């Protein structure tokens, strides 16, 4: 099946700094990718829809200025957590697909803000 | 998308079949039933999906009742590596350009 690669798998950063997470589709082109967040023992919550060549669509309650999404090409979407704080510590996951097939998920990124 | 209801947890003996139920009584005629699973600290993995007919692939079988108000995911010979949270999701559109709404899922624990 299609492969979505997410990097890094783990990152620890200091409070107040920014962190960029990459999500690549390795063997297909994705016009749409999704970013999810998952807190411990909770389900995945959709944060935003990333659209190639246009602005991302954010879910209610997600700060667009804090979680910057860039989808400049059909194979790469990035999520930047700006001015990270400990409450932003979470598991971030991206997904994408080939449109008419099921979605494939990245391996996830464990962000710890200290 | 229609809401789904799943038991919070289930246990299964290794080598036996695991039958995971899902209720989706408000499903509409053009909504698909999808199953994903998430092994601890990994991204979700697609398992199977169906609209009306039962489906089978190398991972599992999906049995959808005739009225489509419930379904069962069957792992025919569960292994320890099948321990995961299983999510049943109902969605309007097939395809990956439509968002997935995850519920709480069922934690399946396969015991030796």
């Amino acid at each position: 099946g299609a492969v979505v690669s997410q990097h890094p798998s783990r990152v620890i950063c200091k409070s107040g700094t920014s962190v960029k997470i990459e999500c690549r589709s390795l063997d297909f082109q994705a016009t749409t990718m999704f970013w999810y967040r998952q807190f411990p023992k909770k389900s995945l919550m959709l944060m935003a829809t990333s659209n190639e060549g246009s602005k991302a669509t954010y879910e209610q309650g997600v700060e667009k200025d804090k979680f910057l999404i860039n989808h400049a090409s059909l194979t790469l979407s990035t999520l930047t957590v700006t001015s990270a704080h400990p409450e932003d510590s979470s598991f971030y996951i991206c997904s994408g697909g080939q449109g008419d097939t099921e979605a494939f998920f990245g391996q996830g990124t464990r962000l710890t803000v200290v | 998308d229609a809401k789904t209801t799943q038991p919070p947890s289930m246990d299964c003996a290794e080598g036996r079949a695991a039958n995971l139920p899902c209720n989706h009584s408000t499903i509409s005629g053009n909504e698909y039933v999808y199953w994903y699973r998430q092994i601890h600290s990994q991204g979700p993995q697609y398992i199977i999906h169906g609209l009306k007919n039962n489906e089978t692939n190398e991972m599992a079988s999906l049995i959808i009742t005739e009225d489509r108000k419930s379904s069962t995911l069957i792992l025919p010979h569960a292994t320890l590596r099948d321990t995961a949270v299983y999510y049943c999701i109902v969605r309007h559109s097939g395809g990956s350009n439509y968002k997935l709404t995850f519920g709480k899922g069922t934690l399946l624990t396969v015991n030796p």
Side-chain angles (χ1 to χ4, degrees):
Chain A
V3 178
V4 174
S5 178
Q6 195 171 335
H7 178 80
S9 58
R10 290 178 179 272
V11 59
I12 300 173
C13 72
K14 291 185 178 180
S15 187
T17 62
S18 296
V19 173
K20 180 185 285 188
I21 302 169
E22 293 186 348
C23 180
R24 294 182 182 273
S25 54
L26 298 186
D27 52 358
F28 66 96
Q29 295 183 326
T31 57
T32 302
M33 301 185 89
F34 298 93
W35 287 95
Y36 296 82
R37 180 169 54 183
Q38 186 175 32
F39 292 108
K41 299 188 185 299
K42 300 293 185 182
S43 189
L44 284 79
M45 296 296 295
L46 180 66
M47 297 176 66
T49 303
S50 172
N51 303 298
E52 187 269 333
S54 64
K55 291 183 179 180
T57 304
Y58 291 82
E59 296 297 302
Q60 190 173 9
V62 178
E63 299 176 59
K64 63 179 181 180
D65 295 329
K66 180 169 185 62
F67 299 99
L68 301 179
I69 291 173
N70 184 286
H71 194 155
S73 78
L74 288 170
T75 60
L76 175 64
S77 175
T78 61
L79 168 68
T80 301
V81 183
T82 63
S83 187
H85 291 285
E87 56 265 31
D88 298 323
S89 298
S90 189
F91 192 53
Y92 292 87
I93 309 166
C94 66
S95 76
Q98 293 174 278
D100 58 350
T101 65
E102 62 275 11
F104 294 92
F105 288 79
Q107 309 94 313
T109 298
R110 175 78 58 195
L111 171 63
T112 303
V113 184
V114 297
Chain B
D1 295 335
K3 181 176 173 156
T4 62
T5 303
Q6 299 178 253
S9 63
M10 292 183 66
D11 285 287
C12 177
E14 188 178 18
R16 304 297 294 269
N19 298 292
L20 292 91
C22 179
N23 285 320
H24 31 79
S25 58
T26 61
I27 192 171
S28 62
N30 60 351
E31 287 185 309
Y32 293 78
V33 180
Y34 274 75
W35 283 84
Y36 282 80
R37 73 179 183 183
Q38 186 179 24
I39 296 169
H40 184 63
S41 293
Q42 296 183 25
Q45 176 189 22
Y46 165 81
I47 301 173
I48 199 167
H49 75 280
L51 183 62
K52 296 180 181 179
N53 301 321
N54 298 336
E55 302 288 343
T56 295
N57 63 20
E58 64 278 5
M59 289 184 68
S61 294
L62 173 60
I63 308 299
I64 303 174
T65 58
E66 194 169 337
D67 63 7
R68 301 186 70 240
K69 292 185 177 182
S70 65
S71 60
T72 301
L73 178 74
I74 301 173
L75 307 179
H77 305 287
T79 70
L80 298 179
R81 287 180 293 182
D82 292 322
T83 293
V85 178
Y86 287 77
Y87 296 99
C88 170
I89 300 170
V90 170
R91 54 189 290 203
H92 273 100
S93 172
S96 56
N97 288 341
Y98 190 81
K99 65 182 180 182
L100 290 166
T101 301
F102 288 83
K104 297 181 179 179
T106 296
L107 172 59
L108 173 68
T109 303
V110 181
N111 301 304

